[in-house]
Amino acid sequence: MSPLTWAQHPPDRQPSARWSILVHCQSSSMLARLDWVFFMTDTSLSPNDLAFKDRLSMMALKWLAKLPLPLLQRLGQVIGQFVAHFPHTGMHQTVLRNVERAYPQQSRQWHLNTTKASIVSTAMTALEFTKTWGMPPAFSLSQVREVHGQALFDEALASGRGVMCIVPHWGTWEVLNAWVNSFVAPTIMYKPGKQPGVDALVLEARARLRATIVPTDDSGVRATFKTLKKGGFTAILPDHTPKDNGGIFAPFFGTSTWTGVMVPKLIQRTQCAVVVLGCMRRADGQGYDVYVLPADPAVHDEDLASATAAMNRSMEALVAIAPEQYQWTYKRFKKNEHEPDFYRKQV
């Protein structure tokens, strides 16, 4: 789970450290898994501080970022279609297994079509990230065509109670990142990155946005709590498997899955406003739409199990808008209550 905290912060009082978001590859394929990984680093980092291979990766990403976005999206489509052509690969099997579990009422053909579309979308997202990293925030903002639920977002910000924003791994969240930063200045939880070349590029991009950083330990959670109590804005991605001491089993797409409890606990303690936020690639490929949805009212329940289940239902509602744009490459159901070998290869 990769949490962010967004709060008002005067531009002239920014700390020297900056933050970044990177694509985290869990296998040899760049398409295997996208995740938000946050890190703290010295702003003096430059390409000259990197190893040769990391400088090469940074140069390659910068070159890709200069290409037109439609060309990058088309390249992502080609890569995704090629990968999806091999149904016996681990990625294809993981996506298909997830889609079948999440939407059992759909036909076999729907599952296969959605699996292919999801792999293609994942490849496109990876290259879209590169473009946003290489361009100023204004570029990403210019790609937003329509905002669904702007009034709900504005109402939450104006409530004065603080805002908890639930952000599943859905759509193209780097564009979303720039959009949110046009309203609030972020304070962000971090953890070290593992890819120096990518880190350096994203550091450059993130330095263009205002940011205050807090660690991912207990002090960071306390800082997040204080942000909400002061009326700030917090966004957390709660749809990845937490550590053993950080979750409970709760239904997610019909499966009792190990789910993080940071979000419902913070909501309980602060009584903040809650919204669900995502950024979706338009079907015609012409830009992106931002979606702001109301959270399931039960996220405010005092019962932790009820509130956590409501958080999951809130994410499901957003994913349902475009299921193929969710991060089905991630083994979300690996730690569930009843099926320990959920991703065992089917015979």
Side-chain angles (χ1 to χ4, degrees), residues 36-48:
W36 284 18
V37 180
F38 301 95
F39 72 95
M40 188 174 184
T41 185
D42 190 333
T43 54
S44 63
L45 179 67
S46 71
N48 292 332

Side-chain angles (χ1 to χ4, degrees), residues 7-74:
Q8 297 295 340
H9 201 297
D12 60 345
R13 295 183 59 189
Q14 297 303 308
S16 60
R18 296 296 186 191
W19 60 283
S20 77
I21 300 173
L22 59 89
V23 176
H24 179 52
C25 299
Q26 288 285 55
S27 76
S28 58
S29 171
M30 185 177 182
L31 309 179
R33 176 172 173 253
L34 296 176
D35 195 4
W36 284 18
V37 180
F38 301 95
F39 72 95
M40 188 174 184
T41 185
D42 190 333
T43 54
S44 63
L45 179 67
S46 71
N48 292 332
D49 299 317
L50 300 173
F52 179 71
K53 65 180 181 65
D54 296 318
R55 291 201 300 272
L56 283 180
S57 66
M58 184 178 181
M59 291 172 58
L61 290 172
K62 282 189 171 183
W63 179 82
L64 282 173
K66 293 180 179 180
L67 299 178
L69 180 59
L71 177 59
L72 288 172
Q73 291 174 325
R74 179 57 185 155

Side-chain angles (χ1 to χ4, degrees), residues 91-137:
M91 180 191 300
H92 192 286
Q93 291 297 311
T94 295
V95 174
L96 179 59
R97 187 83 169 100
N98 284 336
V99 169
E100 289 174 337
R101 175 52 55 94
Y103 298 99
Q105 74 280 8
Q106 297 291 350
S107 68
R108 173 67 175 175
Q109 191 59 52
W110 187 93
H111 292 151
L112 293 173
N113 291 344
T114 302
T115 295
K116 179 179 179 180
S118 178
I119 294 173
V120 170
S121 179
T122 299
M124 293 176 68
T125 297
L127 292 176
E128 288 166 338
F129 279 5
T130 301
K131 183 65 175 180
T132 59
W133 293 335
M135 299 293 289

Side-chain angles (χ1 to χ4, degrees), residues 9-300:
H9 201 297
D12 60 345
R13 295 183 59 189
Q14 297 303 308
S16 60
R18 296 296 186 191
W19 60 283
S20 77
I21 300 173
L22 59 89
V23 176
H24 179 52
C25 299
Q26 288 285 55
S27 76
S28 58
S29 171
M30 185 177 182
L31 309 179
R33 176 172 173 253
L34 296 176
D35 195 4
W36 284 18
V37 180
F38 301 95
F39 72 95
M40 188 174 184
T41 185
D42 190 333
T43 54
S44 63
L45 179 67
S46 71
N48 292 332
D49 299 317
L50 300 173
F52 179 71
K53 65 180 181 65
D54 296 318
R55 291 201 300 272
L56 283 180
S57 66
M58 184 178 181
M59 291 172 58
L61 290 172
K62 282 189 171 183
W63 179 82
L64 282 173
K66 293 180 179 180
L67 299 178
L69 180 59
L71 177 59
L72 288 172
Q73 291 174 325
R74 179 57 185 155
L75 179 60
Q77 286 179 325
V78 172
I79 294 172
Q81 288 167 355
F82 176 78
V83 175
H85 187 69
F86 299 94
H88 298 295
T89 61
M91 180 191 300
H92 192 286
Q93 291 297 311
T94 295
V95 174
L96 179 59
R97 187 83 169 100
N98 284 336
V99 169
E100 289 174 337
R101 175 52 55 94
Y103 298 99
Q105 74 280 8
Q106 297 291 350
S107 68
R108 173 67 175 175
Q109 191 59 52
W110 187 93
H111 292 151
L112 293 173
N113 291 344
T114 302
T115 295
K116 179 179 179 180
S118 178
I119 294 173
V120 170
S121 179
T122 299
M124 293 176 68
T125 297
L127 292 176
E128 288 166 338
F129 279 5
T130 301
K131 183 65 175 180
T132 59
W133 293 335
M135 299 293 289
F139 173 80
S140 294
L141 288 174
S142 71
Q143 301 303 308
V144 176
R145 298 293 181 256
E146 190 172 356
V147 179
H148 306 266
Q150 179 74 61
L152 180 63
F153 186 80
D154 294 340
E155 181 183 352
L157 289 178
S159 69
R161 297 187 290 133
V163 181
M164 169 65 71
C165 190
I166 298 171
V167 183
H169 289 78
W170 177 81
T172 307
W173 52 86
E174 276 290 335
V175 173
L176 177 66
N177 200 29
W179 182 81
V180 170
N181 271 268
S182 69
F183 296 93
V184 291
T187 299
I188 301 160
M189 285 185 171
Y190 74 90
K191 70 177 181 180
K194 297 180 180 179
Q195 300 180 31
V198 181
D199 289 356
L201 175 62
V202 183
L203 175 61
E204 289 184 3
R206 296 287 71 81
R208 303 182 193 118
L209 299 171
R210 297 168 293 169
T212 301
I213 306 173
V214 297
T216 54
D217 56 19
D218 289 343
S219 66
V221 176
R222 290 193 295 269
T224 303
F225 171 77
K226 291 178 181 178
T227 293
L228 289 172
K229 293 296 286 186
K230 291 179 180 179
F233 187 102
T234 298
I236 296 178
L237 289 81
D239 56 338
H240 277 189
T241 305
K243 295 181 179 180
D244 290 345
N245 62 351
I248 62 174
F249 286 111
F252 186 59
F253 283 103
T255 297
S256 183
T257 306
W258 194 247
T259 304
V261 294
M262 178 188 293
V263 168
K265 282 186 174 181
L266 286 171
I267 294 171
Q268 289 174 347
R269 293 183 61 193
T270 63
Q271 295 300 302
C272 59
V274 185
V275 295
V276 185
L277 189 62
C279 181
M280 184 190 78
R281 182 188 311 105
R282 293 172 67 101
D284 59 8
Q286 302 300 310
Y288 307 87
D289 286 352
V290 171
Y291 282 84
V292 186
L293 303 185
D296 188 303
V299 295
H300 294 281

